Amino acid sequence: MKNVKSDLRSLSEKIEQSLTLKKKSLKRLENKKFACEADALGAAKDFEKHLKYHQLNRLEVLATPHYNPPGKPRPGEEITHHTYQIHASLVENEAIIKTHQLQAGRFILATNLLDEKKWTQELILQEYKAQQTKTLCFLHHEFFLKVLNGSCHWQ
């Protein structure tokens, strides 16, 4: 249960970090001008492919008219061309996040011990956990603490 809580907290932090980074990227994309509406939509779709935990919401393509000469147009002056920009917001992709939440705290333990009568799943897990605690015990020995603290010098 502890692993599940830790994994969920970690997932939540990843989602928040992703949102922050992707908002910045979206802002840069919104400031970019495109020659046609199809280019703007293509850029938005490419951007959306790189979103892991989020998706675009309320995607709009805005057309901006341009005149010759640049500046405020005079009455009756014709538009020379348009540039296109996208405008969208990010929302969480609930289906993807739910999938990641359901996977939280899980791990796979593979073994080559095939005798199911001798080695039950519980016994294998118990042995695995015992190995994990034994491998870290040596770090508490006085010599290794000195090495880790940097007070031990090799001769």
Side-chain angles (χ1 to χ4, degrees), residues 6-78:
S6 173
D7 286 356
L8 289 175
R9 190 176 329 111
S10 176
L11 176 63
S12 178
E13 290 171 3
K14 285 180 186 178
I15 292 169
E16 287 300 317
Q17 288 173 354
S18 175
L19 179 63
T20 303
L21 292 174
K22 296 304 178 180
K23 274 186 176 180
K24 289 178 184 177
S25 297
L26 179 61
K27 193 68 172 169
R28 282 193 298 271
L29 185 62
E30 287 178 331
N31 290 332
K32 191 172 181 180
K33 294 178 181 353
F34 296 94
C36 65
E37 190 173 350
D39 289 347
L41 287 172
K45 295 299 176 197
D46 287 343
F47 176 77
E48 195 167 28
K49 287 179 187 175
H50 297 288
L51 297 175
K52 187 171 182 176
Y53 303 111
H54 299 88
Q55 59 190 12
L56 290 177
N57 187 32
R58 298 186 312 229
L59 177 63
E60 297 177 276
V61 178
L62 307 173
T64 305
H66 292 273
Y67 300 90
N68 198 9
K72 185 177 179 182
R74 295 186 187 116
E77 194 170 335
E78 291 187 28

Side-chain angles (χ1 to χ4, degrees), residues 2-154:
K2 186 170 77 172
N3 286 342
V4 174
K5 288 180 183 177
S6 173
D7 286 356
L8 289 175
R9 190 176 329 111
S10 176
L11 176 63
S12 178
E13 290 171 3
K14 285 180 186 178
I15 292 169
E16 287 300 317
Q17 288 173 354
S18 175
L19 179 63
T20 303
L21 292 174
K22 296 304 178 180
K23 274 186 176 180
K24 289 178 184 177
S25 297
L26 179 61
K27 193 68 172 169
R28 282 193 298 271
L29 185 62
E30 287 178 331
N31 290 332
K32 191 172 181 180
K33 294 178 181 353
F34 296 94
C36 65
E37 190 173 350
D39 289 347
L41 287 172
K45 295 299 176 197
D46 287 343
F47 176 77
E48 195 167 28
K49 287 179 187 175
H50 297 288
L51 297 175
K52 187 171 182 176
Y53 303 111
H54 299 88
Q55 59 190 12
L56 290 177
N57 187 32
R58 298 186 312 229
L59 177 63
E60 297 177 276
V61 178
L62 307 173
T64 305
H66 292 273
Y67 300 90
N68 198 9
K72 185 177 179 182
R74 295 186 187 116
E77 194 170 335
E78 291 187 28
I79 298 171
T80 57
H81 68 283
H82 283 86
T83 56
Y84 298 88
Q85 291 178 286
I86 67 160
H87 182 71
S89 59
L90 290 173
V91 294
E92 290 183 352
N93 188 336
E94 295 296 330
I96 298 292
I97 292 173
K98 191 59 91 176
T99 302
H100 284 280
Q101 287 173 338
L102 292 173
Q103 293 173 353
R106 293 185 183 175
F107 70 98
I108 297 172
L109 182 60
T111 181
N112 59 358
L113 302 171
L114 302 176
D115 187 3
E116 291 181 23
K117 292 179 182 173
K118 183 177 179 184
W119 293 99
T120 64
Q121 291 178 2
E122 292 79 17
L123 186 58
I124 292 173
L125 184 60
Q126 191 175 21
E127 283 292 317
Y128 171 76
K129 287 182 177 182
Q131 289 175 3
Q132 296 302 309
T133 56
K134 287 178 187 174
T135 57
L136 297 177
C137 287
F138 75 92
L139 291 176
H140 291 78
H141 190 273
E142 181 181 330
F143 172 75
F144 288 105
L145 290 174
K146 288 181 182 178
V147 170
L148 291 174
N149 290 331
S151 62
C152 184
H153 301 286
W154 298 101

